[in-house]
Amino acid sequence: MEIVGNDVVDAVKEFFTLGNMLKQIISTTLTLIFKKTRPETVADFRTIACCNVVYKIISMVICNRVAAVLPSIINETQSAFIKGRDIVDNILICHDLVRLYKRKACSPRCIMKVDLKKAYESIEFRFIEQMLQALKFPDKMVRGDRGSVSILLRVFATFSAASGLARNNENSEIYFNGMAPAEVDYMLHISGSKDRGSMQKLLMVRIRSTLEIPSSGLGENLEIHLWLASKSDHMWIKSVDHVYMKGRDWQEYTPTTNSSWTWRKICQVKDIMKAGYVNGNWSANNGVYSVSSGYKWLLGQQNKVPWLSLVWNKTSIPKHSFIGWLAIQERLLTKDRLLKFGVISDGLCFLYHHYLETHQHLLYDCHFSQQC
């Protein structure tokens, strides 16, 4: 920053003053990632825009300014992509809506699933422009570079022709959301990708496993009771207040038997966590609640084991640490345990067939293990 800091600041200020940007800054490399194994149209690729750093700074400044007003102009039913809102709100409401559908006493009803995929992948530029004008956004933020959009669409058409992929004609007059305006040629790179959906699911599983509390199974709902009080403007909060609580005191509230499973679990968390508050203040962490402090409070006093640093350390591969931890706890799924669970019918050691595969045999007594 000592070398280029002032130049970067001047470049950003110049754009917001004059509205102009050098072609060297505005040029963008588009990388296309496969959405599926055998793409058939351009829409089967996920576009990643590799922008210039100065361009990204300018974009972030604009986004931060717009983000401050988005909650007030976007309906509360749109719970995703808005800071402070969560798409889980709508999922929870759906759970509540369908929980009684199977009851015979209910009147006939149905659920319609609408695929809004195209609403997020492509938007009509003219519509956005008119909407921003109607909301009285500054003219500098409203004006779009139609020339850049046309170049972008021509690039996709060229790529379609060269690759043999079909073009989606309905998008011929569409401005692609998230694309950086550009007035120079684009470089298109095709790169493979592993199943991102599976990777994201794996990541979520790992995140949840780090938050899960074995003794209670409360998991990531540790701070839900505080969230209920601080997010009273959320649609789901309004929904449960109208359907379940109906103005009753949250601290003393008890759910009815016909409440949804999610709502009953949240109330269960509330009842457990109440003991951690004294006169309305969190009893640990200097009175400031956090998931970490709540986790430690629920676990209670723990004895430090001598093997802690041997198993859990930065130099160990996480998978190896986890297996080692299971071994120390004698929780490995050895054949004797699987035999007890009825999963298998043969409990003999796979490496040394004369003995039952127990924890002691597998790690210590087995001739093969001793050689290792």
Side-chain angles (χ1 to χ4, degrees):
M1 289 301 294
E2 294 179 359
I3 299 175
V4 300
N6 292 332
D7 293 334
V8 172
V9 172
D10 291 340
V12 173
K13 286 183 177 179
E14 181 179 340
F15 169 79
F16 285 107
T17 303
L18 304 177
N20 299 324
M21 191 181 298
L22 293 173
K23 290 184 178 181
Q24 291 85 344
I25 295 178
I26 207 173
S27 62
T28 300
T29 298
L30 293 184
T31 302
L32 301 184
I33 308 296
F34 293 122
K35 286 184 179 179
K36 57 184 183 180
T37 306
R38 296 181 179 178
E40 298 175 356
T41 69
V42 175
D44 294 331
F45 291 91
R46 180 179 290 104
T47 51
I48 306 296
C50 303
C51 309
N52 184 284
V53 173
V54 175
Y55 179 87
K56 289 184 178 181
I57 294 174
I58 293 172
S59 299
M60 287 302 299
V61 171
I62 296 175
C63 289
N64 289 337
R65 291 180 179 179
V66 175
V69 298
L70 288 182
S72 62
I73 63 177
I74 296 181
N75 193 277
E76 61 182 1
T77 57
Q78 173 57 48
S79 56
F81 310 117
I82 306 298
K83 186 177 181 180
R85 300 183 189 179
D86 198 317
I87 197 171
V88 174
D89 291 1
N90 287 356
I91 297 174
L92 293 173
I93 291 177
C94 287
H95 284 177
D96 269 343
L97 290 175
V98 303
R99 64 188 171 87
L100 301 177
Y101 266 37
K102 290 186 177 181
R103 290 194 176 184
K104 296 181 180 180
C106 291
S107 58
R109 58 193 67 186
C110 68
I111 298 175
M112 296 178 60
K113 180 180 181 298
V114 181
D115 187 2
L116 297 179
K117 174 184 177 182
K118 292 181 180 179
Y120 300 119
E121 291 198 344
S122 57
I123 56 178
E124 187 174 350
F125 183 78
R126 182 57 184 163
F127 168 78
I128 295 298
E129 189 177 48
Q130 292 175 346
M131 182 62 69
L132 293 175
Q133 290 173 345
L135 293 170
K136 301 186 184 304
F137 273 71
D139 189 54
K140 285 185 177 181
M141 300 188 72
V142 175
R143 291 200 311 267
D145 189 345
R146 294 180 182 272
S148 298
V149 178
S150 300
I151 293 174
L152 178 61
L153 293 175
R154 288 202 301 270
V155 168
F156 277 110
T158 303
F159 169 72
S160 297
S163 62
L165 298 176
R167 183 184 180 189
N168 192 346
N169 291 327
E170 64 180 324
N171 284 337
S172 59
E173 299 297 328
I174 295 298
Y175 175 81
F176 287 82
N177 185 26
M179 295 298 141
E183 296 176 334
V184 296
D185 292 339
Y186 284 85
M187 296 173 58
L188 296 179
H189 301 282
I190 308 300
S191 60
S193 171
K194 294 183 178 180
D195 186 353
R196 292 181 58 167
S198 298
M199 294 294 289
Q200 290 173 351
K201 290 178 182 178
L202 175 63
L203 178 61
M204 287 303 299
V205 169
R206 293 194 64 180
I207 290 175
R208 291 184 178 183
S209 68
T210 60
L211 293 177
E212 187 171 344
I213 300 171
S215 59
S216 62
L218 299 178
E220 56 192 348
N221 288 326
L222 287 177
E223 57 182 1
I224 199 72
H225 61 295
L226 288 181
W227 181 72
L228 282 167
S230 62
K231 301 292 183 181
S232 57
D233 58 330
H234 280 225
M235 186 173 64
W236 181 72
I237 303 300
K238 294 179 180 179
S239 174
V240 295
D241 184 62
H242 177 75
V243 175
Y244 295 124
M245 297 188 62
K246 299 179 180 179
R248 283 175 282 183
D249 179 51
W250 166 240
Q251 295 295 332
E252 305 301 327
Y253 172 82
T254 300
T256 58
T257 55
N258 67 341
S259 300
S260 68
W261 179 88
T262 304
W263 179 244
R264 293 199 307 271
K265 287 298 179 181
I266 290 174
C267 293
Q268 178 185 348
V269 172
K270 179 260 298 185
D271 292 335
I272 294 174
M273 299 301 293
K274 279 199 306 184
Y277 285 85
V278 179
N279 297 325
N281 296 318
W282 181 238
S283 58
N285 198 30
N286 296 323
V288 179
Y289 179 83
S290 66
V291 173
S292 176
S293 64
Y295 178 86
K296 294 177 181 177
W297 177 81
L298 283 169
L299 287 180
Q301 185 66 33
Q302 298 290 310
N303 296 323
K304 193 171 183 178
V305 292
W307 46 262
L308 179 66
S309 59
L310 297 176
V311 175
W312 303 107
N313 58 76
K314 296 181 179 179
T315 60
S316 297
I317 298 175
K319 180 171 68 173
H320 296 173
S321 295
F322 184 70
I323 294 174
W325 176 71
L326 288 176
I328 292 176
Q329 300 290 336
E330 297 190 13
R331 303 293 292 178
L332 288 174
L333 290 179
T334 49
K335 279 192 171 184
D336 65 323
R337 297 189 66 204
L338 295 176
L339 188 65
K340 186 186 300 182
F341 298 153
V343 177
I344 59 175
S345 57
D346 177 18
L348 295 180
C349 176
F350 181 78
L351 301 173
Y352 203 66
H353 300 283
H354 300 290
Y355 296 93
L356 183 69
E357 185 188 89
T358 63
H359 176 272
Q360 178 68 24
H361 172 80
L362 179 65
L363 298 180
Y364 305 104
D365 298 339
C366 180
H367 179 68
F368 185 85
S369 300
Q370 290 178 356
Q371 286 182 324
C372 290

